[in-house]
């Protein structure tokens, strides 16, 4: 069980906010019930990220992810968890038009999944939307730095906030905090900037590729388990190689079937007897 966390109830956005400057906040993405069951006891936050578009659905980016996909996976993760705060990404196109559109999308996500909060990408240009949602009962996690839904504007998944660009990312985080976000993801920003922002703002920073100076960390679970082949970001530590294990297991099964070694005597049913 994670530090500071009572086991009898789900963590809430105020619980996460109260962790500012305290024990590091542990966050992982989850997209399915079985993975949520594994991650939930160890995590403070389970994020149903729109990375599921690439990780689960094989899309080339997060841009093709819909609200319906987020709700479907959000419900699955909700069923597999009882401890961690459940946060669900608002996907591209579901909130950028303005506060009212964002409210409609976020309210659907909250009502249909039981999530405790939503995450949206953006700082300064999302300030009005964040304040609008929070005032209407929807806790918001912001996401600044590399915001993958803007990959086409950035021209790739590049580090954000180097040199003169630091002021933009710093202002994004500051304005998101002032607008009422309860935490902010800092993605792929230099260590020095991540430290400055974490010291500067009053809400927890959750880093991904943003150093241990942040108040917490998030990773895409398939990346850290070695399940998502073909993508090895520098900021990921691989804690397991489940892709290799699964490959070996499937190969062994295929060999057994072809050699008629499976099913064996333990896997068949007699004319009478149990089962
Ligand atoms: O979509 C996602 O998984 C995310 C995290 C990586 C922060 O936004």
């Amino acid at each position: 069980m994670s530090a500071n966390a009572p086991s009898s109830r789900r963590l809430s956005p105020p619980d996460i906010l109260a962790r500012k400057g305290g024990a590091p906040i542990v966050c992982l993405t989850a997209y399915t019930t079985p993975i949520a069951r594994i991650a939930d006891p160890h995590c403070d936050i389970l994020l149903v990220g729109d990375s599921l578009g690439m990780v689960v659905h094989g899309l080339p980016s997060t841009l093709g992810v819909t609200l319906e996909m987020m709700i479907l996976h959000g419900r699955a993760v909700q069923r597999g968890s009882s401890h961690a705060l459940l946060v669900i990404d608002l996907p591209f196109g579901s909130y950028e038009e303005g506060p009212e559109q964002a409210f409609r999308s976020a309210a659907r996500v909250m009502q249909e999944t039981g999530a405790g909060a939503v995450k949206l990408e953006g700082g300064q240009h999302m300030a009005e939307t964040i304040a609008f949602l929070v005032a209407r009962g929807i806790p918001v996690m912001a996401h600044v730095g590399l915001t993958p839904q803007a990959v086409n504007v950035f021209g790739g998944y590049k580090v954000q906030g180097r040199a003169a660009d630091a002021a933009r990312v710093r202002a994004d985080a500051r304005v998101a905090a002032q607008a009422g976000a309860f935490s902010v993801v800092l993605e792929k920003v230099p260590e020095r900037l991540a430290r400055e922002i974490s010291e500067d703002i009053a809400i927890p920073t959750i880093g991904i590729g943003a150093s241990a100076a942040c108040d917490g960390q998030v990773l895409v679970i398939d990346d850290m388990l070695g399940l998502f082949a073909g993508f090895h970001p520098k900021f990921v530590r691989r804690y397991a190689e489940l892709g290799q294990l699964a490959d070996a297991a499937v190969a062994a099964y295929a060999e057994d079937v072809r050699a008629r070694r499976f099913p064996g005597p333990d896997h068949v049913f007699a004319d009478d007897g149990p089962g």
Side-chain angles (χ1 to χ4, degrees), residues 27-31 47-53 55 62 70 89 119 121 141 143 146 148-149 185-187 206-208 218-221 223 235:
C27 177
L28 279 173
T29 68
Y31 317 112
L47 171 66
V48 183
D50 61 354
S51 51
L52 65 82
V55 173
T62 58
M70 297 309 301
D89 261 345
K119 176 164 83 58
E121 295 186 5
M141 174 185 277
H143 183 157
L146 173 61
Q149 291 172 11
V185 169
L186 298 185
E187 179 161 352
I206 313 289
I208 175 162
V218 58
L219 283 177
V220 169
I221 193 158
D223 287 342
F235 55 79

Side-chain angles (χ1 to χ4, degrees), residues 108 112 133 146 148 196 205 223:
R108 252 196 89 189
E112 295 182 33
L133 294 183
L146 173 61
E196 278 171 22
T205 55
D223 287 342

Side-chain angles (χ1 to χ4, degrees), residues 52 59 62-71 89 91-92 94:
L52 65 82
L59 295 172
T62 58
L63 299 188
V65 175
T66 64
L67 203 54
E68 285 66 31
M69 288 161 80
M70 297 309 301
I71 289 170
D89 261 345
F92 181 66
S94 75

Side-chain angles (χ1 to χ4, degrees), residues 120-144:
L120 55 77
E121 295 186 5
Q124 298 172 81
H125 67 287
M126 278 297 144
E128 191 190 345
T129 295
I130 294 170
F132 189 92
L133 294 183
V134 174
R136 284 157 183 78
I138 299 182
V140 176
M141 174 185 277
H143 183 157
V144 307

